Amino acid sequence: MARIFSGIQPTGIAHLGNYLGAIQNWVALQQDNEGIYCLVDLHAITVWQDPAALRAQTRTNAALLIACGIDPDRSILFHQSAVHAHTRLAWIFNCVARFGWLNRMTQFKDKAGKDREAVSTGLFVYPNLMAADILAYHATEVPVGDDQSQHLELANDIAQKFNHDYETDFFPTIHPRIMTSTARIMSLRDGAKKMSKSDTSDQSRINLTDDNDAIAQKIRRAKTDPADLPDHPEKLETRPEARNLVGIFAALAGITPAEVLRDHANQGFGHLKERLTELVIETLTPIRDETNRLAADPSHIDSVLHRGASRAAAIANPIVAEAERLVGLLPAP
């Protein structure tokens, strides 16, 4: 049984891309593995967040994960800031990681843009915290998309340098469990961009808490192109918006894009969008309803997260205490 760690930022509301790209895989993985799933609120504050909104969204996203099928009795579900071992190990990793390694991280370059001097230092060093998130549990596998593999490479570089510097084999190698079969869901407004919680347009995504009217409207307005749907997926390569809608349909229906096109070839997008709306509503209605039920009792959500944090700390605290001993720190009283 592998120990698997994964996290999701609690800013905004989890959307269809999060569900199809990550959350449904977490649900499946918890069946035969030790799952540790974290709402990474410390990562969220690398850019400014409204405090009240962050607290509310952390609870809502916790409710969403449970509604999607994460079982807090079988897996560990908690919010990152509740387990101080993360930040203790992150500081050690700040001192182990090299500036040049972080300076080459493509996601930092993308997020910082041209105004790199003005962004927070937290945004620069957050890959070290990400490494600490995983290694504080000696997790050996992390489910990631292929666009996140650079962060795991850095985490392994940090672990190897720690082991080398302190003449130990304390930290294990992390193996990416790349979900190659997972649909990569793109923006409904721009097929070249991933569906994102941070996109300024709410029309670009389907939130897991959207009502049926909002879902129908967003799919109806989703960007397409003038041509009819083709008869083979290869003919979608230069048509990103069409490829995205076909991919979402295939992922929700549990069929291949070729099978989707078999039923919609040489047609416009009207019928595909109607059927897609039905599929999305069928999938999200029970998730939305259960989320609303759970979120109506914040004290229950807090108790679930606190219980998960206690279980997480029981694993992480001894590991981080040993890392602190290895670097020469005196034990805490």
Side-chain angles (χ1 to χ4, degrees):
M1 180 180 291
R3 177 175 291 168
I4 293 178
F5 180 95
S6 199
I8 186 170
Q9 287 212 26
T11 49
I13 299 297
H15 53 66
L16 187 63
N18 298 134
Y19 177 73
L20 293 174
I23 298 171
Q24 68 173 2
N25 289 311
W26 296 3
V27 173
L29 288 170
Q30 70 182 342
Q31 304 301 318
D32 300 310
N33 301 281
E34 182 183 8
I36 302 174
Y37 300 124
C38 183
L39 294 148
V40 289
D41 50 357
L42 294 175
H43 286 295
I45 62 170
T46 56
V47 295
W48 189 87
Q49 304 293 334
D50 176 83
L54 180 59
R55 281 188 286 270
Q57 290 166 1
T58 301
R59 291 186 176 108
T60 299
N61 281 294
L64 268 170
L65 291 178
I66 297 168
C68 287
I70 297 297
D71 182 350
D73 293 324
R74 173 178 291 174
S75 300
I76 296 175
L77 176 65
F78 69 106
H79 57 301
Q80 181 187 29
S81 61
V83 180
H84 296 163
H86 290 246
T87 50
R88 288 159 52 200
L89 187 58
W91 179 253
I92 293 174
F93 286 173
N94 282 344
C95 301
V96 171
R98 302 294 90 178
F99 184 91
W101 298 355
L102 296 174
N103 209 33
R104 289 191 289 271
M105 298 299 288
T106 56
Q107 284 201 13
F108 171 73
K109 294 176 183 177
D110 293 343
K111 290 182 178 180
K114 297 179 180 179
D115 200 15
R116 295 178 65 179
E117 299 297 320
V119 300
S120 75
T121 54
L123 190 64
F124 185 69
V125 300
Y126 92 96
N128 296 340
L129 176 57
M130 184 180 293
D133 295 336
I134 303 164
L135 291 166
Y137 300 93
H138 277 186
T140 54
E141 293 193 23
V142 177
V144 296
D146 54 8
D147 59 332
Q148 298 169 302
S149 59
Q150 188 184 32
H151 287 100
L152 287 195
E153 291 171 5
L154 177 66
N156 277 324
D157 288 343
I158 293 171
Q160 290 169 14
K161 190 172 190 309
F162 180 99
N163 289 346
H164 176 269
D165 289 352
Y166 296 101
E167 299 179 343
T168 181
D169 59 355
F170 184 63
F171 286 117
T173 299
I174 306 164
H175 301 283
R177 186 176 285 209
I178 296 177
M179 302 298 180
T180 52
S181 62
T182 298
R184 192 175 188 208
I185 307 303
M186 313 305 282
S187 165
L188 298 180
R189 307 305 298 161
D190 182 351
K193 294 167 52 179
K194 284 182 69 175
M195 188 175 286
S196 171
K197 291 185 287 184
S198 61
D199 196 305
T200 55
S201 172
D202 190 58
Q203 295 296 309
S204 68
R205 58 186 170 269
I206 296 173
N207 304 304
L208 297 185
T209 54
D210 280 345
D211 62 32
N212 293 352
D213 288 342
I215 292 169
Q217 181 187 76
K218 289 177 179 182
I219 294 176
R220 186 167 57 248
R221 293 179 176 177
K223 185 178 179 182
T224 55
D225 57 50
D228 288 344
L229 286 159
D231 56 3
H232 196 280
E234 289 182 359
K235 297 178 181 179
L236 294 172
E237 289 302 314
T238 58
R239 302 174 62 185
E241 285 79 23
R243 184 172 68 246
N244 187 39
L245 293 181
V246 169
I248 295 172
F249 193 112
L252 289 171
I255 60 178
T256 65
E259 290 174 299
V260 177
L261 292 176
R262 184 186 61 198
D263 295 333
H264 295 88
N266 304 314
Q267 300 178 29
F269 287 88
H271 186 252
L272 177 75
K273 285 186 173 184
E274 287 179 11
R275 287 286 296 114
L276 180 57
T277 298
E278 294 170 2
L279 274 174
V280 174
I281 289 174
E282 180 183 344
T283 301
L284 296 192
T285 294
I287 293 172
R288 180 187 64 227
D289 291 349
E290 179 65 2
T291 298
N292 291 338
R293 186 188 72 80
L294 292 167
D297 187 357
S299 62
H300 172 68
I301 295 298
D302 288 353
S303 69
V304 169
L305 292 175
H306 293 161
R307 186 170 68 250
S310 294
R311 293 170 62 197
I315 299 170
N317 284 340
I319 292 171
V320 174
E322 177 61 11
E324 291 170 334
R325 187 195 69 79
L326 287 168
V327 304
L329 304 182
L330 290 174

